[in-house]
Amino acid sequence: MAIRRIVTQGDDRLHKKCREVTEFNQRLHVLLDDMKETLEEAQGVGLAAPQVGVLRRAVVIVDDDDQMLELVNPEIIASSGEKAAPEGCLSVPGKWGLVARPFFARVRAQDRFGNWFETEGEDLMARCFCHEIEHLDGHLYVEHIDHFMTDDEVEAFYEEEEAREKRGK
Ligand code: ZN
């Protein structure tokens, strides 16, 4: 396994539509293993293949149980609700923007051997599914925002969310 360099905003490869994975071979397995190691080292929650310069439809995500989930040729098959929250991206380091995403999303994808499966998630997971799958179509979250959040805005958001959760209990 090897840590790959994460390409950042401005790199052409982040703006291309990625091709479907059709061969579930050793080359794909090495890519997924490297992506997982790269994501872990960067301490992110999701990484798409174009972020390491590979224009293929593959994504790795850290799920709610801290397990790495591999999604090959993923697509959103159902979503509902909406939540706006600060969102960041390893290809746009150190920045945050407020993005509205579905609160719930269900995804269909293939594993590294080509077997289809479905998975779903709420809140951060749903946000992550949407964010990473957008990468595969050459889009970055910054297209959804009108400004980057200041540290104060990010802090205020989480304070408010915490207060909201306390009120809810
Ligand atoms: Zn990203």
Side-chain angles (χ1 to χ4, degrees), residues 51 88-90 131-132 135:
Q51 291 183 276
C89 178
L90 292 172
H131 177 116
E132 300 308 331
H135 270 300

Side-chain angles (χ1 to χ4, degrees), residues 30-50:
V30 170
L31 171 67
L32 290 167
D33 288 341
D34 286 356
M35 284 171 63
K36 289 200 277 193
E37 197 175 352
T38 304
L39 178 59
E40 197 166 15
E41 209 248 355
Q43 298 184 310
V45 287
L47 186 70

Side-chain angles (χ1 to χ4, degrees), residues 6-162:
I6 296 175
V7 300
T8 51
Q9 193 179 10
D11 190 298
D12 275 357
R13 290 168 289 185
L14 292 173
H15 303 288
K16 299 246 162 75
K17 195 171 163 67
C18 298
R19 286 167 298 160
E20 266 187 34
V21 173
T22 52
E23 289 183 54
F24 298 82
N25 54 16
Q26 188 61 26
R27 197 180 163 84
L28 173 69
H29 298 179
V30 170
L31 171 67
L32 290 167
D33 288 341
D34 286 356
M35 284 171 63
K36 289 200 277 193
E37 197 175 352
T38 304
L39 178 59
E40 197 166 15
E41 209 248 355
Q43 298 184 310
V45 287
L47 186 70
Q51 291 183 276
V52 292
V54 177
L55 298 179
R56 287 286 179 178
R57 302 187 80 82
V59 157
V60 294
I61 282 173
V62 179
D63 73 10
D64 289 335
D65 300 318
D66 258 345
Q67 298 297 307
M68 288 266 191
L69 197 59
E70 302 174 356
L71 303 172
V72 178
N73 298 326
E75 50 185 317
I76 307 257
I77 53 170
S79 65
S80 61
E82 189 182 279
K83 182 180 176 180
E87 191 163 316
C89 178
L90 292 172
S91 294
V92 191
K95 307 257 195 194
W96 298 93
L98 193 68
V99 183
R101 300 281 192 189
F103 184 77
F104 166 85
R106 185 163 182 82
V107 170
R108 182 174 180 262
Q110 283 167 288
D111 67 15
R112 61 167 61 201
F113 304 105
N115 303 304
W116 286 98
F117 67 98
E118 291 184 13
T119 184
E120 60 186 39
E122 290 185 342
D123 207 351
L124 179 62
M125 281 286 286
R127 173 172 304 280
C128 205
F129 289 146
C130 297
H131 177 116
E132 300 308 331
I133 290 171
E134 274 188 358
H135 270 300
L136 304 181
D137 290 318
H139 297 292
L140 296 179
Y141 84 88
V142 298
E143 294 166 35
H144 299 297
I145 64 171
D146 54 15
H147 74 287
F148 285 115
M149 297 172 87
T150 63
D151 290 348
D152 283 349
E153 284 176 316
V154 174
E155 203 175 307
F157 175 89
Y158 286 114
E159 274 171 14
E160 204 177 294
E161 182 166 75
E162 203 177 314

